[in-house]
Amino acid sequence: MILKTTLAALAAFTLAASVQAAPAYESKFASNDGVKIHYTAAGKGPLVVMLHGFPEYWGFYKSLMDQLDGEYRVAAMDLRGYNLSDKPQGEASYAFPKLIGDVEAVMKAEGRDKAIVIGHDWGAAIAWRVAMNRPELVDKLVIMSVPHPAGFAREMATNAEQQKNSQYARNFQQPGFEKNLTPEGLTARAPASIKEEWTQALKRSDMTALLNYYRANYPKGTGDAVKPEPTPPIQAPVLVIHGVKDTSLHHAGHSGTWEHVTADTTILMLPMAGHDVQHDAPALVDRTIHDWLNARR
């Protein structure tokens, strides 16, 4: 009886502790020139703004939000065009200056003038641009999967494997290609634990808007057609995490990243992970980001 009572009490305590430890998610909105940007926030401390990729939504950062809860104020965005954020019309509405403005709008909505910025896929591409073009906004930068713009341009110009791997993006740039995309199709291989919620988020999204990221920003050519642009130096510490099995973005694009950063630069290559490193190796990725940030507080 004593043992049973003790075990029951321990189980109740463990359940209560786990419930107490769970982040209290807050659904919030920021505004950038009349465009509403939805984000989910939790916790207290230095602000961390999280940017998802194609074709995801804020919920893909739940694991990392849990990891950082209690030490940081985390704000995971729905990028414009996705889920609960506004879906402005036109390719120009998805050019980098607009996307950078969305990140700044979330910081302002949180009453901050600077934040740690974390991005994966298109979120990483935006994060690079925020750090280059608005360095005063970025305290630290965490990038998953996407090379620095200079490294990516180099690979698009010279690396045959990267040129081949980018064919999907050229398909996305074609007018009307969104007719080939459905929420159910994009989530067909998703784990059961996230499939339904992700599918519903994509049903609230605009497929044309999602492809406008590629139409407005992705290089439209390869080889000599690629014209590298000036890239201002990044002044914040940078952590890059990349899966070597990535079939969209070649890992060689990260070579020389440190030449474009004036602060310390850390690059972690995961040989068994693919493009979605935060899903292929969630425990390692979350712990690495947590420890890297804490070492620089």
Side-chain angles (χ1 to χ4, degrees), residues 80-82 87-88 94 206-213 215:
R80 59 170 59 199
Y82 285 86
K87 292 95 179 158
Y94 297 86
D206 183 321
M207 294 299 163
T208 298
L210 273 52
L211 296 192
N212 278 341
Y213 282 81
R215 293 162 181 163

Side-chain angles (χ1 to χ4, degrees), residues 51-64:
L51 315 175
H52 67 79
F54 171 90
E56 300 171 352
Y57 75 113
W58 76 266
F60 273 66
Y61 279 114
K62 287 181 180 179
S63 176
L64 182 56

Side-chain angles (χ1 to χ4, degrees), residues 191-244:
S193 59
I194 65 170
K195 187 171 184 177
E196 179 59 25
E197 185 173 323
W198 184 15
T199 301
Q200 293 305 314
L202 284 177
K203 286 182 177 180
R204 292 187 289 267
S205 303
D206 183 321
M207 294 299 163
T208 298
L210 273 52
L211 296 192
N212 278 341
Y213 282 81
Y214 293 87
R215 293 162 181 163
N217 305 298
Y218 202 94
K220 291 181 169 60
T222 59
D224 293 340
V226 178
K227 305 298 180 185
E229 59 183 291
T231 54
I234 291 173
Q235 302 170 23
V238 175
L239 168 64
V240 172
I241 304 175
H242 190 93
V244 176

Side-chain angles (χ1 to χ4, degrees), residues 106-117:
V106 170
M107 294 182 194
K108 288 182 176 178
E110 286 294 310
R112 313 292 182 94
D113 56 11
K114 178 175 283 194
I116 298 159
V117 180

Side-chain angles (χ1 to χ4, degrees), residues 4 36 38 63 76 94 110 127 138 151 156 187 210 212 216-217 247 254 256 275 284 295:
K4 289 183 178 180
K36 290 194 304 180
H38 174 261
S63 176
Y94 297 86
E110 286 294 310
V138 181
M156 288 292 285
T187 63
L210 273 52
N212 278 341
N217 305 298
T247 58
H254 295 290
H275 182 68
L284 176 58

